[in-house]
Amino acid sequence: MARQPFIAGNWKMHKTVAEAEAFVQGLLPRIYDADHCDVALCTPFTALQAVVDSTRGSRIEVYAQNMHHEAQGAFTGEVSAPMLTELDVHGVVLGHSERRQLFGETDKALQLKVPAALDAGLQVILCVGETEEEREAGDTERRLRHQVDEGLEKVPTERLGDVVIAYEPIWAIGTGQVATPEQAQEACAFVRALVGQRSKEEADRGRVLYGGSVKPDNAAELLGLPDVDGALVGGASLDVEQFEALVNAAKG
Ligand code: PGA
Protein backbone atom coordinates (compact mmCIF):
# COMPACT_ATOMS: atom_id res chain seq x y z
CA MET A 1 0.00 0.00 0.00
CA ALA A 2 1.41 3.41 -0.95
CA ARG A 3 1.70 5.73 2.03
CA GLN A 4 0.80 9.37 1.47
CA PRO A 5 3.76 11.64 2.32
CA PHE A 6 3.23 13.89 5.32
CA ILE A 7 4.91 17.24 6.04
CA ALA A 8 4.20 18.57 9.52
CA GLY A 9 5.46 21.92 10.76
CA ASN A 10 6.09 22.05 14.49
CA TRP A 11 6.01 25.69 15.47
CA LYS A 12 6.92 25.00 19.11
CA MET A 13 6.52 28.22 21.15
CA HIS A 14 6.49 30.50 18.13
CA LYS A 15 3.88 32.77 16.54
CA THR A 16 1.18 34.89 18.09
CA VAL A 17 -2.32 34.68 16.58
CA ALA A 18 -1.55 37.61 14.26
CA GLU A 19 1.71 35.99 13.12
CA ALA A 20 0.02 32.62 12.64
CA GLU A 21 -2.73 34.15 10.50
CA ALA A 22 -0.20 36.02 8.37
CA PHE A 23 1.71 32.76 7.82
CA VAL A 24 -1.44 30.92 6.72
CA GLN A 25 -2.44 33.70 4.33
CA GLY A 26 1.01 33.49 2.78
CA LEU A 27 1.08 29.70 2.59
CA LEU A 28 -2.42 28.88 1.28
CA PRO A 29 -2.02 30.21 -2.30
CA ARG A 30 1.36 28.50 -2.56
CA ILE A 31 0.22 24.97 -1.71
CA TYR A 32 -3.44 24.91 -2.76
CA ASP A 33 -2.80 22.23 -5.40
CA ALA A 34 -0.29 20.19 -3.38
CA ASP A 35 -2.38 17.03 -3.25
CA HIS A 36 0.70 14.80 -3.34
CA CYS A 37 1.09 15.05 0.43
CA ASP A 38 -0.68 15.73 3.71
CA VAL A 39 0.29 19.00 5.37
CA ALA A 40 -0.06 19.86 9.04
CA LEU A 41 0.73 22.86 11.21
CA CYS A 42 1.33 22.12 14.89
CA THR A 43 0.68 25.43 16.58
CA PRO A 44 0.69 26.77 20.14
CA PHE A 45 -2.66 26.25 21.89
CA THR A 46 -3.42 29.97 21.65
CA ALA A 47 -3.25 29.96 17.84
CA LEU A 48 -5.22 26.73 17.24
CA GLN A 49 -8.63 28.32 16.78
CA ALA A 50 -7.35 31.02 14.46
CA VAL A 51 -5.40 28.55 12.32
CA VAL A 52 -8.32 26.09 12.19
CA ASP A 53 -10.58 28.94 11.02
CA SER A 54 -8.16 30.37 8.48
CA THR A 55 -7.32 26.96 6.96
CA ARG A 56 -10.90 25.61 6.84
CA GLY A 57 -11.63 24.07 3.44
CA SER A 58 -7.91 23.86 2.62
CA ARG A 59 -5.67 20.82 2.76
CA ILE A 60 -3.86 22.03 5.88
CA GLU A 61 -4.51 20.05 9.06
CA VAL A 62 -4.02 21.61 12.47
CA TYR A 63 -2.34 19.84 15.37
CA ALA A 64 -1.77 20.72 19.01
CA GLN A 65 1.64 20.04 20.56
CA ASN A 66 0.54 18.23 23.72
CA MET A 67 -2.55 17.18 25.69
CA HIS A 68 -3.50 15.53 28.98
CA HIS A 69 -4.90 12.00 28.91
CA GLU A 70 -7.89 12.82 31.12
CA ALA A 71 -10.91 14.55 29.58
CA GLN A 72 -11.15 16.98 32.50
CA GLY A 73 -9.99 17.44 36.05
CA ALA A 74 -7.79 19.31 38.48
CA PHE A 75 -4.74 19.58 36.20
CA THR A 76 -3.76 23.24 36.20
CA GLY A 77 -2.23 24.38 32.95
CA GLU A 78 -3.25 21.30 30.97
CA VAL A 79 -5.53 20.88 27.93
CA SER A 80 -7.64 17.79 27.11
CA ALA A 81 -8.68 15.97 23.94
CA PRO A 82 -12.33 17.19 24.03
CA MET A 83 -11.05 20.77 24.30
CA LEU A 84 -9.05 20.22 21.12
CA THR A 85 -11.72 18.39 19.14
CA GLU A 86 -14.24 21.12 20.01
CA LEU A 87 -12.01 23.50 18.03
CA ASP A 88 -11.92 21.06 15.07
CA VAL A 89 -8.24 20.39 15.70
CA HIS A 90 -7.21 17.33 13.65
CA GLY A 91 -4.47 15.87 15.79
CA VAL A 92 -1.81 16.20 18.43
CA VAL A 93 1.95 15.77 18.72
CA LEU A 94 2.81 13.59 21.70
CA GLY A 95 6.14 12.87 23.36
CA HIS A 96 8.23 15.51 21.64
CA SER A 97 11.76 15.35 23.05
CA GLU A 98 11.45 18.90 24.37
CA ARG A 99 8.45 17.81 26.42
CA ARG A 100 10.32 14.74 27.59
CA GLN A 101 13.55 16.58 28.44
CA LEU A 102 12.31 19.94 29.69
CA PHE A 103 8.87 19.12 31.11
CA GLY A 104 9.21 15.61 32.50
CA GLU A 105 7.00 13.81 29.95
CA THR A 106 7.31 10.07 30.59
CA ASP A 107 6.71 6.97 28.51
CA LYS A 108 4.14 5.97 31.15
CA ALA A 109 2.16 9.18 30.53
CA LEU A 110 2.38 8.62 26.78
CA GLN A 111 0.97 5.14 27.23
CA LEU A 112 -2.23 6.87 28.38
CA LYS A 113 -2.12 9.89 26.10
CA VAL A 114 -1.79 8.05 22.78
CA PRO A 115 -4.95 5.89 23.12
CA ALA A 116 -6.85 8.80 24.73
CA ALA A 117 -6.12 10.97 21.71
CA LEU A 118 -7.10 8.22 19.24
CA ASP A 119 -10.32 7.51 21.15
CA ALA A 120 -11.21 11.20 20.95
CA GLY A 121 -10.79 11.14 17.18
CA LEU A 122 -7.47 12.95 17.09
CA GLN A 123 -4.62 11.86 14.86
CA VAL A 124 -1.38 11.29 16.70
CA ILE A 125 2.24 12.04 15.89
CA LEU A 126 4.26 10.14 18.51
CA CYS A 127 7.86 11.36 18.74
CA VAL A 128 10.76 9.09 19.61
CA GLY A 129 14.51 9.50 19.40
CA GLU A 130 17.83 8.96 21.12
CA THR A 131 20.31 11.39 22.67
CA GLU A 132 23.82 11.82 21.34
CA GLU A 133 25.21 9.84 24.30
CA GLU A 134 22.80 6.97 23.63
CA ARG A 135 23.81 6.85 19.96
CA GLU A 136 27.51 6.90 20.83
CA ALA A 137 26.99 4.15 23.39
CA GLY A 138 25.23 1.97 20.79
CA ASP A 139 21.95 2.34 22.68
CA THR A 140 19.81 3.81 19.89
CA GLU A 141 17.75 0.70 19.17
CA ARG A 142 17.19 -0.10 22.84
CA ARG A 143 15.94 3.47 23.40
CA LEU A 144 13.65 3.41 20.36
CA ARG A 145 12.26 0.01 21.28
CA HIS A 146 11.40 1.25 24.75
CA GLN A 147 9.73 4.43 23.52
CA VAL A 148 7.75 2.76 20.72
CA ASP A 149 6.67 -0.23 22.82
CA GLU A 150 5.56 1.92 25.77
CA GLY A 151 3.87 4.61 23.68
CA LEU A 152 1.86 2.06 21.68
CA GLU A 153 1.24 -0.47 24.43
CA LYS A 154 -2.41 0.39 25.00
CA VAL A 155 -3.21 1.05 21.34
CA PRO A 156 -5.38 -1.72 19.84
CA THR A 157 -3.55 -3.63 17.11
CA GLU A 158 -5.95 -2.55 14.37
CA ARG A 159 -5.24 1.09 15.15
CA LEU A 160 -1.45 0.93 15.22
CA GLY A 161 -1.24 2.16 11.64
CA ASP A 162 -3.18 5.30 12.58
CA VAL A 163 -0.31 6.48 14.78
CA VAL A 164 2.29 8.49 12.89
CA ILE A 165 5.69 7.96 14.51
CA ALA A 166 8.29 10.69 14.16
CA TYR A 167 11.86 9.53 14.58
CA GLU A 168 13.72 12.59 15.84
CA PRO A 169 17.30 12.07 17.05
CA ILE A 170 17.71 14.64 19.81
CA TRP A 171 21.18 15.60 18.62
CA ALA A 172 19.70 16.69 15.29
CA ILE A 173 16.88 18.88 16.65
CA GLY A 174 17.54 22.57 16.16
CA THR A 175 21.25 21.93 15.73
CA GLY A 176 21.65 21.99 11.96
CA GLN A 177 23.28 18.57 12.36
CA VAL A 178 20.93 16.43 10.27
CA ALA A 179 21.06 12.64 10.40
CA THR A 180 22.71 11.06 7.39
CA PRO A 181 20.33 9.33 4.97
CA GLU A 182 21.73 6.01 6.19
CA GLN A 183 21.05 6.86 9.84
CA ALA A 184 17.54 8.16 9.08
CA GLN A 185 16.62 5.15 6.94
CA GLU A 186 18.03 2.65 9.44
CA ALA A 187 16.21 4.17 12.41
CA CYS A 188 12.89 4.67 10.58
CA ALA A 189 13.01 1.10 9.26
CA PHE A 190 13.72 -0.10 12.80
CA VAL A 191 10.74 1.86 14.15
CA ARG A 192 8.53 0.31 11.45
CA ALA A 193 9.85 -3.13 12.29
CA LEU A 194 8.95 -2.59 15.95
CA VAL A 195 5.34 -1.91 14.95
CA GLY A 196 5.61 -4.93 12.65
CA GLN A 197 6.28 -7.17 15.62
CA ARG A 198 2.63 -6.63 16.53
CA SER A 199 1.18 -6.37 13.01
CA LYS A 200 2.95 -6.44 9.67
CA GLU A 201 -0.11 -4.97 7.98
CA GLU A 202 -0.32 -2.02 10.39
CA ALA A 203 3.41 -1.41 10.09
CA ASP A 204 3.08 -1.22 6.30
CA ARG A 205 0.14 1.18 6.62
CA GLY A 206 1.54 3.46 9.32
CA ARG A 207 3.68 6.44 8.48
CA VAL A 208 7.13 7.09 9.94
CA LEU A 209 8.53 10.62 9.73
CA TYR A 210 12.06 11.87 10.16
CA GLY A 211 12.64 15.05 12.16
CA GLY A 212 15.73 17.01 13.09
CA SER A 213 17.14 19.93 11.08
CA VAL A 214 15.10 19.16 7.96
CA LYS A 215 15.65 22.06 5.54
CA PRO A 216 14.78 22.68 1.88
CA ASP A 217 18.29 21.64 0.82
CA ASN A 218 18.27 18.24 2.55
CA ALA A 219 14.57 17.36 2.43
CA ALA A 220 14.36 15.66 -0.97
CA GLU A 221 17.07 13.14 -0.12
CA LEU A 222 15.52 12.29 3.26
CA LEU A 223 11.99 12.10 1.87
CA GLY A 224 13.20 9.77 -0.89
CA LEU A 225 14.24 7.09 1.62
CA PRO A 226 12.08 3.95 1.54
CA ASP A 227 11.01 4.06 5.20
CA VAL A 228 10.77 7.85 5.57
CA ASP A 229 7.19 8.89 4.80
CA GLY A 230 7.56 12.55 5.62
CA ALA A 231 9.08 15.06 7.97
CA LEU A 232 8.38 16.78 11.26
CA VAL A 233 9.97 20.18 10.86
CA GLY A 234 10.74 22.82 13.46
CA GLY A 235 12.85 25.82 12.40
CA ALA A 236 12.16 25.63 8.66
CA SER A 237 8.38 25.49 9.26
CA LEU A 238 8.35 29.04 10.59
CA ASP A 239 9.08 30.56 7.20
CA VAL A 240 6.47 30.41 4.41
CA GLU A 241 8.96 30.00 1.56
CA GLN A 242 10.94 27.29 3.30
CA PHE A 243 7.81 25.42 4.31
CA GLU A 244 6.49 25.59 0.76
CA ALA A 245 9.83 24.20 -0.46
CA LEU A 246 9.49 21.28 1.96
CA VAL A 247 5.98 20.49 0.72
CA ASN A 248 7.32 20.57 -2.85
CA ALA A 249 10.23 18.32 -1.87
CA ALA A 250 7.71 15.63 -0.92
CA LYS A 251 6.65 15.34 -4.59
CA GLY A 252 9.58 12.97 -5.11
P1 PGA B 1 14.10 21.33 13.84
O1 PGA B 1 13.03 20.73 14.90
O2 PGA B 1 13.55 21.08 12.47
O3 PGA B 1 14.18 22.79 14.19
O4 PGA B 1 15.38 20.60 14.07
C1 PGA B 1 12.41 19.50 14.67
C2 PGA B 1 11.46 19.18 15.79
O5 PGA B 1 11.77 19.45 16.95
O6 PGA B 1 10.35 18.63 15.54
Short mmCIF file of all heavy atoms in Angstrom, two decimals, residues 217-248:
data_model
loop_
_atom_site.label_atom_id
_atom_site.label_comp_id
_atom_site.label_asym_id
_atom_site.label_seq_id
_atom_site.Cartn_x
_atom_site.Cartn_y
_atom_site.Cartn_z
N ASP A 217 17.17 22.23 1.58
CA ASP A 217 18.29 21.64 0.82
C ASP A 217 18.61 20.19 1.19
O ASP A 217 19.39 19.54 0.51
CB ASP A 217 19.55 22.52 0.92
CG ASP A 217 20.07 22.62 2.34
OD1 ASP A 217 19.45 22.04 3.25
OD2 ASP A 217 21.11 23.28 2.54
N ASN A 218 18.02 19.67 2.26
CA ASN A 218 18.27 18.24 2.55
C ASN A 218 17.00 17.40 2.51
O ASN A 218 17.04 16.17 2.66
CB ASN A 218 18.99 18.06 3.91
CG ASN A 218 18.18 18.62 5.08
OD1 ASN A 218 16.95 18.65 5.05
ND2 ASN A 218 18.86 19.05 6.14
N ALA A 219 15.85 18.06 2.29
CA ALA A 219 14.57 17.36 2.43
C ALA A 219 14.37 16.28 1.36
O ALA A 219 13.93 15.16 1.67
CB ALA A 219 13.42 18.35 2.37
N ALA A 220 14.69 16.60 0.11
CA ALA A 220 14.36 15.66 -0.97
C ALA A 220 15.07 14.32 -0.75
O ALA A 220 14.46 13.25 -0.93
CB ALA A 220 14.75 16.25 -2.32
N GLU A 221 16.32 14.38 -0.33
CA GLU A 221 17.07 13.14 -0.12
C GLU A 221 16.47 12.31 1.02
O GLU A 221 16.28 11.10 0.90
CB GLU A 221 18.54 13.48 0.20
CG GLU A 221 19.43 12.26 0.23
CD GLU A 221 20.90 12.62 0.37
OE1 GLU A 221 21.20 13.69 0.95
OE2 GLU A 221 21.73 11.81 -0.10
N LEU A 222 16.11 13.00 2.12
CA LEU A 222 15.52 12.29 3.26
C LEU A 222 14.16 11.71 2.89
O LEU A 222 13.83 10.57 3.22
CB LEU A 222 15.39 13.24 4.46
CG LEU A 222 16.72 13.66 5.10
CD1 LEU A 222 16.54 14.92 5.94
CD2 LEU A 222 17.30 12.53 5.93
N LEU A 223 13.36 12.53 2.20
CA LEU A 223 11.99 12.10 1.87
C LEU A 223 11.99 10.99 0.82
O LEU A 223 10.99 10.30 0.65
CB LEU A 223 11.17 13.30 1.38
CG LEU A 223 10.94 14.38 2.44
CD1 LEU A 223 10.32 15.63 1.82
CD2 LEU A 223 10.04 13.85 3.56
N GLY A 224 13.10 10.83 0.12
CA GLY A 224 13.20 9.77 -0.89
C GLY A 224 13.55 8.41 -0.31
O GLY A 224 13.54 7.40 -1.02
N LEU A 225 13.85 8.36 1.00
CA LEU A 225 14.24 7.09 1.62
C LEU A 225 13.03 6.17 1.76
O LEU A 225 11.93 6.64 2.06
CB LEU A 225 14.88 7.36 2.98
CG LEU A 225 16.15 8.22 2.94
CD1 LEU A 225 16.53 8.69 4.35
CD2 LEU A 225 17.29 7.42 2.31
N PRO A 226 13.23 4.86 1.59
CA PRO A 226 12.08 3.95 1.54
C PRO A 226 11.21 3.95 2.79
O PRO A 226 10.00 3.81 2.70
CB PRO A 226 12.71 2.57 1.31
CG PRO A 226 14.18 2.75 1.34
CD PRO A 226 14.50 4.19 1.25
N ASP A 227 11.81 4.12 3.98
CA ASP A 227 11.01 4.06 5.20
C ASP A 227 10.71 5.43 5.80
O ASP A 227 10.19 5.52 6.91
CB ASP A 227 11.67 3.14 6.23
CG ASP A 227 11.40 1.69 5.88
OD1 ASP A 227 10.24 1.26 6.03
OD2 ASP A 227 12.32 1.00 5.39
N VAL A 228 11.07 6.49 5.09
CA VAL A 228 10.77 7.85 5.57
C VAL A 228 9.56 8.36 4.78
O VAL A 228 9.65 8.58 3.57
CB VAL A 228 11.99 8.79 5.39
CG1 VAL A 228 11.63 10.22 5.79
CG2 VAL A 228 13.16 8.28 6.22
N ASP A 229 8.44 8.52 5.47
CA ASP A 229 7.19 8.89 4.80
C ASP A 229 6.89 10.37 4.89
O ASP A 229 5.82 10.82 4.46
CB ASP A 229 6.02 8.10 5.41
CG ASP A 229 6.26 6.61 5.34
OD1 ASP A 229 6.69 6.13 4.27
OD2 ASP A 229 6.03 5.92 6.36
N GLY A 230 7.80 11.13 5.49
CA GLY A 230 7.56 12.55 5.62
C GLY A 230 8.49 13.13 6.65
O GLY A 230 9.45 12.48 7.07
N ALA A 231 8.19 14.37 7.05
CA ALA A 231 9.08 15.06 7.97
C ALA A 231 8.31 15.85 9.00
O ALA A 231 7.25 16.41 8.70
CB ALA A 231 10.01 15.99 7.20
N LEU A 232 8.85 15.87 10.22
CA LEU A 232 8.38 16.78 11.26
C LEU A 232 9.44 17.87 11.35
O LEU A 232 10.61 17.58 11.63
CB LEU A 232 8.21 16.04 12.59
CG LEU A 232 7.66 16.86 13.76
CD1 LEU A 232 6.32 17.48 13.46
CD2 LEU A 232 7.55 16.00 15.02
N VAL A 233 9.02 19.10 11.10
CA VAL A 233 9.97 20.18 10.86
C VAL A 233 9.76 21.31 11.85
O VAL A 233 8.65 21.81 11.99
CB VAL A 233 9.78 20.74 9.44
CG1 VAL A 233 10.87 21.74 9.13
CG2 VAL A 233 9.74 19.63 8.41
N GLY A 234 10.83 21.70 12.53
CA GLY A 234 10.74 22.82 13.46
C GLY A 234 11.11 24.12 12.77
O GLY A 234 10.28 24.76 12.12
N GLY A 235 12.38 24.50 12.87
CA GLY A 235 12.85 25.82 12.40
C GLY A 235 12.37 26.20 11.01
O GLY A 235 11.87 27.32 10.81
N ALA A 236 12.49 25.29 10.05
CA ALA A 236 12.16 25.63 8.66
C ALA A 236 10.65 25.75 8.44
O ALA A 236 10.22 26.21 7.37
CB ALA A 236 12.75 24.60 7.70
N SER A 237 9.84 25.36 9.43
CA SER A 237 8.38 25.49 9.26
C SER A 237 7.89 26.88 9.64
O SER A 237 6.71 27.19 9.48
CB SER A 237 7.65 24.44 10.11
OG SER A 237 7.66 24.79 11.48
N LEU A 238 8.78 27.71 10.14
CA LEU A 238 8.35 29.04 10.59
C LEU A 238 8.34 30.05 9.45
O LEU A 238 7.82 31.15 9.59
CB LEU A 238 9.29 29.54 11.71
CG LEU A 238 9.28 28.69 12.98
CD1 LEU A 238 10.39 29.15 13.93
CD2 LEU A 238 7.92 28.76 13.68
N ASP A 239 8.93 29.66 8.34
CA ASP A 239 9.08 30.56 7.20
C ASP A 239 8.26 30.02 6.02
O ASP A 239 8.41 28.85 5.64
CB ASP A 239 10.56 30.63 6.83
CG ASP A 239 10.81 31.48 5.61
OD1 ASP A 239 10.88 32.70 5.77
OD2 ASP A 239 10.89 30.91 4.49
N VAL A 240 7.39 30.86 5.46
CA VAL A 240 6.47 30.41 4.41
C VAL A 240 7.23 29.81 3.22
O VAL A 240 6.87 28.73 2.73
CB VAL A 240 5.57 31.57 3.94
CG1 VAL A 240 4.82 31.20 2.68
CG2 VAL A 240 4.59 31.95 5.04
N GLU A 241 8.25 30.49 2.76
CA GLU A 241 8.96 30.00 1.56
C GLU A 241 9.65 28.67 1.82
O GLU A 241 9.62 27.76 0.98
CB GLU A 241 10.00 31.02 1.10
CG GLU A 241 9.38 32.12 0.29
CD GLU A 241 10.40 33.14 -0.21
OE1 GLU A 241 11.59 32.79 -0.30
OE2 GLU A 241 9.99 34.27 -0.47
N GLN A 242 10.27 28.56 2.99
CA GLN A 242 10.94 27.29 3.30
C GLN A 242 9.93 26.16 3.46
O GLN A 242 10.16 25.04 3.01
CB GLN A 242 11.77 27.44 4.58
CG GLN A 242 13.00 28.29 4.39
CD GLN A 242 13.95 28.18 5.58
OE1 GLN A 242 14.25 27.09 6.05
NE2 GLN A 242 14.41 29.32 6.05
N PHE A 243 8.81 26.47 4.11
CA PHE A 243 7.81 25.42 4.31
C PHE A 243 7.23 24.98 2.97
O PHE A 243 7.03 23.79 2.72
CB PHE A 243 6.72 25.89 5.28
CG PHE A 243 5.87 24.77 5.80
CD1 PHE A 243 6.40 23.78 6.61
CD2 PHE A 243 4.52 24.68 5.45
CE1 PHE A 243 5.62 22.73 7.09
CE2 PHE A 243 3.72 23.63 5.92
CZ PHE A 243 4.28 22.66 6.74
N GLU A 244 6.97 25.94 2.10
CA GLU A 244 6.49 25.59 0.76
C GLU A 244 7.51 24.68 0.05
O GLU A 244 7.13 23.70 -0.59
CB GLU A 244 6.28 26.86 -0.08
CG GLU A 244 5.84 26.56 -1.51
CD GLU A 244 6.00 27.75 -2.45
OE1 GLU A 244 6.62 28.76 -2.06
OE2 GLU A 244 5.51 27.64 -3.59
N ALA A 245 8.79 25.01 0.19
CA ALA A 245 9.83 24.20 -0.46
C ALA A 245 9.82 22.77 0.09
O ALA A 245 10.05 21.81 -0.65
CB ALA A 245 11.19 24.84 -0.25
N LEU A 246 9.53 22.62 1.38
CA LEU A 246 9.49 21.28 1.96
C LEU A 246 8.30 20.49 1.41
O LEU A 246 8.41 19.29 1.11
CB LEU A 246 9.41 21.37 3.48
CG LEU A 246 10.63 22.00 4.15
CD1 LEU A 246 10.39 22.17 5.64
CD2 LEU A 246 11.87 21.15 3.91
N VAL A 247 7.16 21.17 1.29
CA VAL A 247 5.98 20.49 0.72
C VAL A 247 6.30 20.06 -0.72
O VAL A 247 5.98 18.94 -1.13
CB VAL A 247 4.74 21.43 0.76
CG1 VAL A 247 3.57 20.83 -0.01
CG2 VAL A 247 4.35 21.69 2.21
N ASN A 248 6.95 20.91 -1.46
CA ASN A 248 7.32 20.57 -2.85
C ASN A 248 8.32 19.42 -2.89
O ASN A 248 8.29 18.59 -3.80
CB ASN A 248 7.89 21.78 -3.58
CG ASN A 248 6.80 22.79 -3.91
OD1 ASN A 248 5.62 22.43 -4.00
ND2 ASN A 248 7.18 24.05 -4.05
#
